[in-house]
Amino acid sequence: PVWSPKGDEIAFLSERGPAAGNSKPFFGIWRISALGGTSRAVVPLTDGSAELRRWAPSGNVYFESNGELWATEIVRGDIRVVTSLKGTYGTVRWINISDDEKRIAFLTVSADIWRIYTGRIEGGEPSIVVETTDEIGGVAWNSANDKFYYSAETGGVFQVLSTKSGGSVPARLTA
């Protein structure tokens, strides 16, 4: 789930009984008051492995699906693809958008090399933040200060590390 910018609603993914005007169960993005109540369908999705990423002040709800970042406008429910990364940098394992909707960060794996990148939403060559042969997972990005937290397998054990964009050396936070 993701919080609305005001913190008064939550968007979530779910398969529910038929939405208005439809006789089939509805998988997609739903919204509900943070205080509870009746949930409302926003938009149907075909990818059952989609993951919500952010509900931006613009009204866009961003989600990851099939290695790309997508957006839907919360009121109208129209969907558009935001990125076109597939196959360019390897297999995309995670992607997110900054709070201001101007930058993206994404994790890829290609030929056993794991990389975290950042780039401008309008395109251009992204910058590598982390590059390692250690498997990376569980990425969290604080876009306000451009800091990343992630787990990486080192010596057979997953450790939590942090780093900033711009070439800082990752710091291991766990023993």
Side-chain angles (χ1 to χ4, degrees), residues 132 134-139 148-162 170-175:
T132 182
D134 298 331
E135 180 181 345
I136 294 177
V139 179
F148 289 87
Y149 296 90
Y150 60 96
S151 64
E153 186 177 10
T154 54
V157 177
F158 276 91
Q159 301 289 343
V160 177
L161 296 103
S162 71
R172 194 164 93 181
L173 304 178
T174 53

Side-chain angles (χ1 to χ4, degrees), residues 98-109:
S98 61
D99 295 330
D100 63 7
E101 301 176 81
K102 293 182 179 179
R103 297 174 300 134
I104 60 169
F106 56 100
L107 167 67
T108 67
V109 61

Side-chain angles (χ1 to χ4, degrees), residues 20-33:
N22 192 343
S23 61
K24 295 181 178 180
F26 179 98
F27 173 77
I29 299 174
W30 294 75
R31 67 193 284 190
I32 191 168
S33 167

Side-chain angles (χ1 to χ4, degrees), residues 1-2 7 19 22 25 34 44 47-48 61 66 71 75 91 94 100 110 131 142 164:
V2 292
N22 192 343
D47 177 15
V61 172
N66 295 313
V75 175
T91 303
W94 171 89
D100 63 7
S110 178
E131 182 175 68
N142 181 336
K164 289 187 86 160

Side-chain angles (χ1 to χ4, degrees), residues 39-61:
S39 56
R40 294 174 287 164
V42 174
V43 65
L45 300 177
T46 57
D47 177 15
S49 65
E51 293 185 35
L52 293 179
R53 294 295 180 215
R54 184 173 315 283
W55 186 339
S58 66
N60 288 319
V61 172

Side-chain angles (χ1 to χ4, degrees), residues 62 69 80 82-83 95-98 100-104 119-124:
Y62 291 91
L69 186 68
R80 64 182 171 84
V82 177
T83 60
I95 189 167
N96 207 342
I97 190 162
S98 61
D100 63 7
E101 301 176 81
K102 293 182 179 179
R103 297 174 300 134
I104 60 169
R120 306 288 302 165
I121 195 70
E122 63 268 353

